[in-house]
Amino acid sequence: MKNDKILLSHGSGGRLTHELVETLFKKYFSNPILNTLDDSAELRLGYPGGPRLAFTTDSFVVNPIFFPGGDIGRLSVCGTVNDLAMKGAVPRWIAIAAIIEEGFELATLKKVVLSISKAAREAGVAVVTGDTKVVEKGKADRLFLTTSGLGIIEEGVNVSGKNARAGDEIIINGTIGDHGISVIAARNDFKFSSGLKSDCAPLNNLVKKMLAASKSINVLRDPTRGGLATTLNEIASSSGIGIIIEEKLIPLKNEVRAACGLLGFDPLYVANEGKLVAFAPGASAGKILKTMKSDKLGRTSAIIGKAVSSPKGVWLKTLSGTLRPLMMLEGEQLPRIC
Amino acid sequence: MKNDKILLSHGSGGRLTHELVETLFKKYFSNPILNTLDDSAELRLGYPGGPRLAFTTDSFVVNPIFFPGGDIGRLSVCGTVNDLAMKGAVPRWIAIAAIIEEGFELATLKKVVLSISKAAREAGVAVVTGDTKVVEKGKADRLFLTTSGLGIIEEGVNVSGKNARAGDEIIINGTIGDHGISVIAARNDFKFSSGLKSDCAPLNNLVKKMLAASKSINVLRDPTRGGLATTLNEIASSSGIGIIIEEKLIPLKNEVRAACGLLGFDPLYVANEGKLVAFAPGASAGKILKTMKSDKLGRTSAIIGKAVSSPKGVWLKTLSGTLRPLMMLEGEQLPRIC
């Protein structure tokens, strides 16, 4: 690594995060389960035919802790539930660890707890264990939550970032960038995005319907930190395929397009918290898309592109018809977005 | 709650932590699994005879992050492995989420990662998933880790804080207070405790031997934050019994006794990270004690007291022979000890 200190970009979900994972975590913790680098680890209980579990953890340091469409509590449940759902698992149990800054208002903590409770009910998961640590004033920024989750992967489901195949259609369940722009607007008290809300939502019920429509889904992944472009790069790299998406097919709200224009952001790199991309063979993609559109979290679902055997890497067919390479997020666009 | 803000004492593991758990977390997340308030949640996979899992999470905010006998990495593995072992589970998989302050040295992060890796090997667990978040300089104190763990509870094992029975003997695997005094000495560069080390260690192999010696162990719990006195209060309250321990039987290093004298601490309230208390019927206690003494983490094991039907609460028979009530930790003795 060229840097000798941790930069904000190491937490962006982009290139430096991946470098850290490869050169440090994967190197020293290496094992076949970790090495898949999926959103959840897939565990098989140690006997033939034993159940498969999905296990995941995420810390949440979003600033501010309340934003249009959500808060750190709702986010911490949805983020973890979604990581389980992206393995095709049925989320069941979550654990929440809080690191709280001394002086944090108990009334605000109660609001967060109620929000966690509501989101957990919505997702159908139980909070089964937890932990609380308090650090001195100035040693943390109000409240950090770490949520871990456990789900059950049913037989016949085989979803992984390494399972994309050339020919797969790529489906997204709606507009991109809503979460990132909502948080940045709340942080800076921007007025331009009035009415825009984070898409923060548990996706497990949508995924359940999709898998009921077709078990042939190869990949599910939620484009959070680093946005759609970074997520597609992870999938292309894990699966050894190329990806071509079409700009004109990507659902995008006018407010997000306008805000990105003003701020100099590319919406393809802005975080989502209620979006997923699914890769599925052409034969089943239509049926899956129809199912998605019938769900309240998938009304504006669309097929946005295709997996190809070549060229490798991720490519955007722009509105003008040219092919532009889409790399992983470089640097840090929006720190502490989740 | 009388206070309207979070105090350091809310993270002490003592009375205010319990008040927060009861009035907020248990109240709004309530479910039969959470409500046992054991060190790990016990989950049963949803079919008759399905395996039982233990699931736990803990955040680690220890200051300083390196101390004699350990560091935040080793602590985060041992703390979580021990919480699983305290349900009688065989720890299998852990997940680690890091919140890192911008500017943290990569070389130090690597040291912590190597320490995690070593402790995980020692405990026989695999790091299967993780997460990294970075916050701006000044918004966290160097490095916080949250470690979640998953283990398998074998048939016939039934260990819980609510299973203590009057007549049970209470066994501890060695000297108390070593961890707390080591950390406080490192933090303040005290010289009085030279040679003293934290007892930070994974206890799962010791527990495995103990359960092999006798499945009749009713309670296992590690006296971390809040110390032995607080842990015994939790058990007495969960099981509805009384506890009498004898001061003269409690293993205590001279350095810890001396440091506690100087600092005005009661060693019964100082944190341990490689200690457990076991409750077992008199008939099997001798065999369990013998097994413990044969393990390197149990050389100075001792029976320190007994569960009784009355008086309720926790009592210390002092060196002078009087009975003194031992309450839960009030306030905060040593912030950020784990």
Side-chain angles (χ1 to χ4, degrees):
Chain A
M1 287 180 257
K2 286 186 298 282
N3 313 293
D4 61 351
K5 288 191 193 300
I6 289 287
L7 310 174
L8 282 174
S9 324
H10 282 109
S12 69
R15 194 181 56 77
L16 279 184
T17 305
H18 283 81
E19 195 176 297
L20 197 64
V21 169
E22 291 290 336
T23 60
L24 206 55
F25 303 128
K26 203 169 141 185
K27 183 168 173 190
Y28 295 108
F29 300 149
S30 183
N31 61 66
I33 302 172
L34 176 72
N35 296 351
T36 67
L37 297 183
D38 275 331
D39 288 338
S40 295
E42 182 177 324
L43 313 173
R44 191 178 274 281
L45 294 190
Y47 51 92
R52 288 180 299 158
L53 300 174
F55 180 32
T56 191
T57 193
D58 260 325
S59 287
F60 297 87
V61 298
V62 66
N63 169 30
I65 61 176
F66 294 89
F67 48 83
D71 61 82
I72 192 171
R74 180 173 175 80
L75 188 63
S76 76
V77 174
C78 296
T80 293
V81 160
N82 292 348
D83 279 348
L84 296 173
M86 296 309 119
K87 285 296 288 184
V90 177
R92 291 283 302 274
W93 301 288
I94 62 174
I96 300 191
I99 297 172
I100 314 177
E101 184 186 13
E102 182 188 9
F104 188 70
E105 315 76 34
L106 268 170
T108 312
L109 184 61
K110 184 176 168 184
K111 269 204 220 173
V112 173
V113 164
L114 286 170
S115 174
I116 291 171
S117 169
K118 185 165 173 283
R121 262 199 313 276
E122 196 177 326
V125 295
V127 181
V128 291
T129 189
D131 182 48
T132 308
K133 293 289 187 313
V134 180
V135 298
E136 306 90 334
K137 200 155 181 61
K139 299 298 184 184
D141 193 7
R142 309 195 73 202
L143 177 65
F144 300 146
L145 296 177
T146 301
T147 305
S148 306
L150 210 52
I152 295 172
I153 306 175
E154 287 175 0
E155 282 315 304
V157 173
N158 189 14
V159 171
S160 169
K162 60 183 195 300
N163 290 357
R165 297 290 170 264
D168 281 354
E169 303 277 358
I170 303 168
I171 321 173
I172 193 164
N173 66 317
T175 56
I176 62 167
D178 301 6
H179 175 72
I181 297 301
S182 297
V183 173
I184 205 80
R187 191 183 303 167
N188 296 288
D189 203 19
F190 287 152
K191 303 297 180 213
F192 58 72
S193 60
S194 62
L196 184 68
K197 279 183 181 175
S198 165
D199 56 347
C200 184
L203 295 169
N204 54 318
N205 292 317
L206 174 63
V207 167
K208 190 177 169 189
K209 288 184 192 172
M210 291 165 66
L211 287 169
S214 170
K215 283 236 162 74
S216 69
I217 296 170
N218 289 326
V219 180
L220 288 169
R221 194 159 284 201
D222 54 340
T224 54
R225 278 185 296 179
L228 180 61
T230 301
T231 293
L232 293 177
N233 267 280
E234 290 168 1
I235 297 167
S237 158
S238 295
S239 294
I241 48 123
I243 289 173
I244 301 175
I245 56 170
E246 293 197 42
E247 192 169 4
K248 68 166 187 265
L249 302 178
I250 300 168
L252 184 64
K253 289 201 172 87
N254 284 332
E255 302 93 298
V256 174
R257 190 195 314 274
C260 283
L262 279 170
L263 298 166
F265 293 155
D266 182 338
L268 289 165
Y269 292 91
V270 177
N272 311 278
E273 289 293 344
K275 290 301 168 326
L276 61 80
V277 286
F279 283 56
S284 51
K287 192 157 72 169
I288 295 166
L289 178 65
K290 198 177 153 200
T291 302
M292 290 169 71
K293 286 189 162 184
S294 74
D295 187 272
K296 68 179 194 298
L297 297 176
R299 297 265 179 265
T300 58
S301 295
I303 291 176
I304 59 171
K306 230 180 160 84
V308 295
S309 53
S310 83
K312 302 293 180 201
V314 181
W315 302 84
L316 179 73
K317 195 172 167 191
T318 64
L319 295 176
S320 59
T322 57
L323 271 192
R324 162 161 91 80
L326 286 182
M327 316 305 285
M328 272 201 180
L329 175 62
E330 275 292 327
E332 176 57 89
Q333 205 177 48
L334 299 167
R336 298 183 57 193
I337 213 68
C338 62
Chain B
M1 285 182 262
K2 286 184 298 280
N3 312 293
D4 61 351
K5 289 191 192 302
I6 288 286
L7 310 174
L8 282 173
S9 322
H10 282 109
S12 68
R15 194 182 55 79
L16 279 183
T17 306
H18 283 82
E19 193 176 297
L20 197 64
V21 168
E22 291 290 336
T23 59
L24 206 55
F25 303 129
K26 202 170 142 185
K27 180 168 175 190
Y28 295 109
F29 300 152
S30 180
N31 61 66
I33 302 170
L34 176 71
N35 296 352
T36 67
L37 298 183
D38 274 332
D39 288 339
S40 297
E42 180 176 325
L43 313 173
R44 191 178 275 281
L45 294 187
Y47 51 92
R52 289 179 300 158
L53 299 173
F55 180 32
T56 191
T57 194
D58 261 324
S59 286
F60 297 88
V61 298
V62 65
N63 169 32
I65 61 175
F66 294 90
F67 48 82
D71 60 82
I72 192 170
R74 180 173 175 81
L75 187 64
S76 76
V77 174
C78 296
T80 294
V81 160
N82 292 349
D83 279 348
L84 296 173
M86 295 310 118
K87 284 296 288 183
V90 177
R92 292 284 301 276
W93 303 288
I94 62 174
I96 300 192
I99 297 172
I100 314 177
E101 185 185 12
E102 182 188 10
F104 189 69
E105 316 77 33
L106 269 170
T108 311
L109 184 61
K110 185 176 167 183
K111 270 205 223 171
V112 172
V113 164
L114 286 169
S115 173
I116 290 171
S117 169
K118 185 165 172 286
R121 262 199 314 278
E122 198 176 326
V125 295
V127 181
V128 292
T129 189
D131 182 48
T132 308
K133 293 291 187 312
V134 181
V135 297
E136 306 89 334
K137 202 159 179 55
K139 299 296 185 187
D141 193 6
R142 308 195 73 202
L143 176 64
F144 300 146
L145 296 178
T146 301
T147 305
S148 306
L150 210 52
I152 296 172
I153 305 174
E154 288 175 0
E155 281 316 303
V157 173
N158 190 14
V159 172
S160 169
K162 61 182 194 302
N163 290 356
R165 296 288 170 265
D168 282 355
E169 302 276 357
I170 304 169
I171 321 173
I172 194 162
N173 67 317
T175 56
I176 62 168
D178 301 6
H179 175 73
I181 297 300
S182 297
V183 172
I184 206 81
R187 192 184 301 168
N188 296 290
D189 204 18
F190 288 151
K191 303 299 180 208
F192 57 72
S193 60
S194 62
L196 184 69
K197 280 183 179 174
S198 165
D199 56 346
C200 182
L203 294 169
N204 54 318
N205 293 316
L206 173 63
V207 167
K208 192 177 167 189
K209 288 183 193 173
M210 291 165 65
L211 286 168
S214 170
K215 284 236 163 77
S216 69
I217 295 171
N218 288 328
V219 179
L220 288 169
R221 192 157 286 196
D222 54 341
T224 55
R225 277 186 295 179
L228 179 62
T230 301
T231 293
L232 293 178
N233 268 281
E234 290 167 3
I235 297 167
S237 157
S238 295
S239 294
I241 46 124
I243 289 174
I244 301 175
I245 57 171
E246 293 196 42
E247 192 169 7
K248 68 167 188 264
L249 302 177
I250 301 169
L252 183 64
K253 290 201 172 87
N254 285 331
E255 303 94 298
V256 173
R257 189 195 315 272
C260 283
L262 278 170
L263 296 165
F265 294 155
D266 182 339
L268 289 165
Y269 292 90
V270 177
N272 310 277
E273 290 292 345
K275 290 300 169 319
L276 60 80
V277 285
F279 283 56
S284 52
K287 191 156 78 170
I288 296 166
L289 177 66
K290 197 177 154 198
T291 302
M292 290 168 72
K293 286 189 162 185
S294 73
D295 187 273
K296 68 177 192 298
L297 296 176
R299 295 267 179 262
T300 58
S301 294
I303 291 177
I304 58 171
K306 229 179 162 86
V308 294
S309 53
S310 84
K312 302 294 180 201
V314 181
W315 302 83
L316 180 72
K317 195 172 166 192
T318 63
L319 296 178
S320 57
T322 58
L323 272 191
R324 162 162 91 82
L326 285 181
M327 315 305 285
M328 275 204 177
L329 176 63
E330 274 293 325
E332 174 60 89
Q333 203 176 50
L334 299 167
R336 297 180 61 192
I337 211 70
C338 61

